[in-house]
Amino acid sequence: MWIEPSELKIERIQVLDENGKLVGPDPDVSDADLISMYKWMVLARVYDQRALKLQRQGRIGTYAPLSGQEAAQVGSAFALERQDWIYPSYREGAACFVHGFPMKNFFLYTMGHLKGTDAEGANVFPVQIIIAAQCLHAVGGAWAGKYNGENSVSVAYVGDGGTSEGDFHEALNFAGVYKLPVVFFVQNNQWAISVPRSKQTASQTIAQKALAYGMAGIQVDGNDILAVYVVMKQALERARNGSPVVVEAVTYRQGPHTTADDPTKYRHKDDVENWLAKDPLKRMKAFMVEKGIWNEALERQEYEAAEQKVSDAFEMAVNTPKSSVEEVFEVVYEQKTAQLTEQQQAAGSVVGVLK
């Protein structure tokens, strides 16, 4: 019997509508956690806006903005346990911060500093710029965690464009076959640089791709932080019990793909404005104000505090001594090979001559 694509129905999970009104089951989240999640979103938005300006000033390198995707990142990372691992792409600053990655090191990363990959004890793998390669790394990490009995889950963050890469499908295949504790968290922000989602796949959803690999898939409103948090909690529980999961968070990249991109060349103004109306921060703020746990005074105070935190992080990054060429050879292997030592000495000699 033929199975037609139209026969497959996947519901998009939502808790808050675009106006911040409760439309799903009231999640079991304390007021303190609601406020904490919102503060993380504010910090991420302020960081993102500052980083964009710093790049335009030539003070950091190419940068991939995350504005519009704060709910997807913060909501998912907030659900993690400390022993869980994040395998990020280049746009996951917010998720990394929530899981303990120092903001100053993210700034260092954008400056090309070797310390930019130092998570300082947080379970965050180095940023991956090869599209979807982090999915394979997450599978390897999950496999190691299962072997060592760590009770940890590996979370691969990937964009909708990454799901068109072979690495994504190879990772899902291994995860499904070996029942690994891994969650593939897809941020479907509608665009892979200038390629729309409609030209990447004929699937109704990205979530349904999980079924072909013997695992569960779910689609969630990625601009609804409460829905993301609830779904991610369920996904982590499944993964921890040996059932890998694909979560598709439907969201929108409000800015350019990177600072080397001009989205006005391929996106329609009306579409952008439609998605800006779904802004995740506005939605959560409206819900909290209605609930009586937030107001404009607290809003101003939090934005001021976030501005200061970002300024302090950047100042620490700027005042960090620059990496040297010789240091590059110290981070390749835990123990340097004879060949690396030889290359390091040769590089040092060249640098000495140039000085």
Side-chain angles (χ1 to χ4, degrees), residues 87-99:
Y87 291 77
S89 75
Y90 40 74
R91 203 184 305 280
E92 271 73 55
C96 293
F97 299 155
V98 174
H99 206 47

Side-chain angles (χ1 to χ4, degrees), residues 40-52 63-74 88-98 103 106 110 157 187 189 222-223 251-259 267 276 279-281:
W40 277 116
M41 285 203 292
V42 169
L43 182 62
R45 179 66 59 91
V46 171
Y47 161 80
D48 192 62
Q49 293 174 340
R50 181 75 65 85
L52 194 57
Y63 175 70
L66 61 85
S67 285
Q69 298 179 217
E70 294 90 348
Q73 293 191 27
V74 173
S89 75
Y90 40 74
R91 203 184 305 280
E92 271 73 55
C96 293
F97 299 155
V98 174
M103 185 182 291
F106 225 90
T110 64
Y157 282 87
Q187 292 180 88
N189 66 15
N223 285 3
T251 181
Y252 193 74
R253 163 171 53 84
Q254 293 181 358
H257 172 71
T258 71
T259 46
R267 296 200 305 203
L276 288 176
D279 186 279
L281 273 75

Side-chain angles (χ1 to χ4, degrees), residues 26 29 38-39 42 59 98 116 122 147 182 211 215 306 335 351:
D26 194 350
V29 181
Y38 183 67
K39 286 183 175 181
V42 169
R59 304 184 73 183
V98 174
Y147 181 82
V182 58
L211 302 178
M215 63 181 75
Q335 293 183 340
V351 171

Side-chain angles (χ1 to χ4, degrees), residues 234-310:
Q234 296 171 356
L236 290 166
E237 183 179 1
R238 280 174 169 264
R240 225 177 290 281
N241 290 319
S243 298
V245 180
V246 173
V247 176
E248 177 190 0
V250 181
T251 181
Y252 193 74
R253 163 171 53 84
Q254 293 181 358
H257 172 71
T258 71
T259 46
D261 169 48
D262 180 4
T264 63
K265 300 294 185 182
Y266 55 83
R267 296 200 305 203
H268 294 294
K269 183 180 179 181
D270 290 346
D271 186 49
V272 175
E273 291 179 350
N274 177 54
W275 276 98
L276 288 176
K278 307 174 191 284
D279 186 279
L281 273 75
K282 293 178 182 177
R283 186 181 307 197
M284 184 61 164
K285 177 186 174 183
F287 174 70
M288 291 167 60
V289 169
E290 179 68 23
K291 194 174 175 66
I293 60 174
W294 200 253
N295 55 48
E296 289 303 323
L298 290 172
E299 180 85 353
R300 289 191 298 272
Q301 180 180 317
E302 193 53 40
Y303 269 89
E304 289 172 3
E307 291 282 0
Q308 189 60 54
K309 288 177 183 177
V310 174

